[in-house]
Amino acid sequence: MADDYQMPKGELMAGKRGIVTGVANHQSIAWGIACQLAAQGAEMAFLHLPGMERRVQPLAESIGVKVVAPMDVTDDASVDAAFSSVKQAFETIDFFVHAIAFANRDELKGSFVDNTTRQGFLRAMDISAFSFVDCARRAAAMMPETGGSIITLTYMGSERAIPNYNTMGVAKAALEAASRYAARDLGPKGIRVNALSPGAMKTLSLAGISGGRAMLAKGRGLSAMKADTSMEGVAGAALWLLSDLGKSTTGELVHVDAGFHIMGFTEDEEEA
Ligand code: NAD
């Protein structure tokens, strides 16, 4: 599976250990990032949503990840147990990847104003934004005096109103603000916190959004490069931020979307 991607090999992560969350299958962004980190010598633990063992275990084994444990971020006991199992295996960690998001399908379509419920809003916020704060605190507590690096995954639906992204856009805006506050708190400890904002990619999460395919096609068509966002590009940006290459970068929101976020209108629209 790791060979699906052309991830540059090297030693940028040699001697570093960390946690990767959010691997659900071979299309997960977390999986692409994990493949790149493994190719650069990182040792990892995977914390996955309970019930995903059958899919996650073989992926983990294929890149030499030995620590694999369930973690439901809505359940404190589950998060406690997951972090304990990592502590037993690794005394300290150098990096943490947060790649977790969820909103009810009904909230990811049509009118934001009409379709957003209290329960759905809070659930999206809990899983997609609060879980980052909770995990960042626990991960930072496991990092050595020399510091560490934390990244989260967001999407431009936080900055602009994208059709159907709705509640998730609001949760991503909270997540991005949380990453800046965490960067401020943890900076003096040498811990860097950054958010990566890929363009639309074909994953399970995208399939949950009404018109997900259109998000892919529009993202490509409206991007500066007229190209899809590649897993290699996202994983490369993660490697930069998680390795010592990213030494002086923190509190940053890095778009990896083939230039989707910089565009005003297209040439077609200009002519109209
Ligand atoms: P994915 O479905 O593969 O990953 C989402 C992960 O969240 C899954 O592994 C799922 O098990 C996990 N998760 C959901 N609820 C959880 C819970 N209660 N406890 C623990 N884990 C839980 O899809 P993905 O696209 O790889 O998503 C990863 C991240 O990237 C998400 O934050 C997503 O919003 C973000 N992102 C995705 C895209 C895209 O187009 N696919 C674009 C930009 C950002």
Side-chain angles (χ1 to χ4, degrees):
M1 286 287 188
D3 293 336
D4 281 356
Y5 302 117
Q6 300 300 312
M7 300 301 183
K9 292 187 171 44
E11 297 191 343
L12 287 170
M13 297 299 288
K16 291 193 191 291
R17 290 169 157 176
I19 297 174
V20 176
T21 64
V23 175
N25 61 24
H26 71 283
Q27 290 179 313
S28 296
I29 294 175
W31 170 243
I33 292 172
C35 288
Q36 176 61 97
L37 298 177
Q40 293 284 341
E43 215 177 323
M44 284 170 278
F46 280 1
L47 300 182
H48 62 81
L49 184 68
M52 309 297 286
E53 289 78 2
R54 206 171 48 82
R55 279 181 184 272
V56 177
Q57 196 71 49
L59 290 172
E61 279 168 21
S62 73
I63 57 167
V65 171
K66 295 189 188 77
V67 185
V68 180
M71 175 173 78
D72 179 348
V73 295
T74 64
D75 175 359
D76 287 336
S78 170
V79 184
D80 286 345
F83 273 81
S84 296
S85 64
V86 178
K87 256 183 224 154
Q88 275 172 17
F90 304 157
E91 211 173 303
T92 60
I93 57 167
D94 305 290
F95 64 90
F96 185 85
V97 177
H98 177 271
I100 295 171
F102 180 83
N104 297 332
R105 256 173 195 273
D106 289 349
E107 313 257 338
L108 296 172
K109 62 181 178 194
S111 164
F112 168 66
V113 172
D114 292 338
N115 295 349
T116 304
T117 64
R118 186 191 304 272
Q119 181 270 341
F121 185 90
L122 294 177
R123 188 163 165 76
M125 280 290 198
D126 186 16
I127 298 178
S128 316
F130 175 74
S131 72
F132 166 76
V133 185
D134 192 26
C135 287
R137 178 174 42 78
R138 294 166 186 270
M142 288 182 69
M143 288 180 176
E145 279 186 4
T146 46
S149 178
I150 297 173
I151 61 166
T152 187
L153 273 302
T154 184
Y155 178 64
M156 207 192 61
S158 59
E159 303 168 85
R160 314 240 178 119
I162 304 262
N164 303 311
Y165 203 63
N166 299 0
T167 299
M168 188 55 84
V170 179
K172 290 301 195 191
L175 174 69
E176 289 166 22
S179 73
R180 286 187 288 272
Y181 278 95
R184 182 189 164 105
D185 270 4
L186 300 174
K189 295 180 179 161
I191 300 172
R192 297 180 293 105
V193 184
N194 292 286
L196 279 183
S197 185
M201 296 174 75
K202 203 174 161 196
T203 66
L204 272 183
S205 285
L206 190 79
I209 303 168
S210 177
R213 275 174 183 273
M215 278 174 75
L216 273 176
K218 286 276 181 202
R220 180 171 54 243
L222 295 174
S223 69
M225 296 175 71
K226 304 286 173 248
D228 288 322
T229 296
S230 72
M231 191 65 96
E232 287 84 353
V234 176
L239 174 63
W240 158 51
L241 293 169
L242 294 173
S243 71
D244 294 340
L245 291 177
K247 216 170 175 160
S248 299
T249 303
T250 196
E252 199 59 82
L253 171 65
V254 179
H255 296 90
V256 189
D257 60 3
F260 175 48
H261 73 287
I262 63 160
M263 298 297 276
F265 46 79
T266 62
E267 283 76 3
D268 295 352
E269 288 162 334
E270 196 176 9
E271 283 160 15

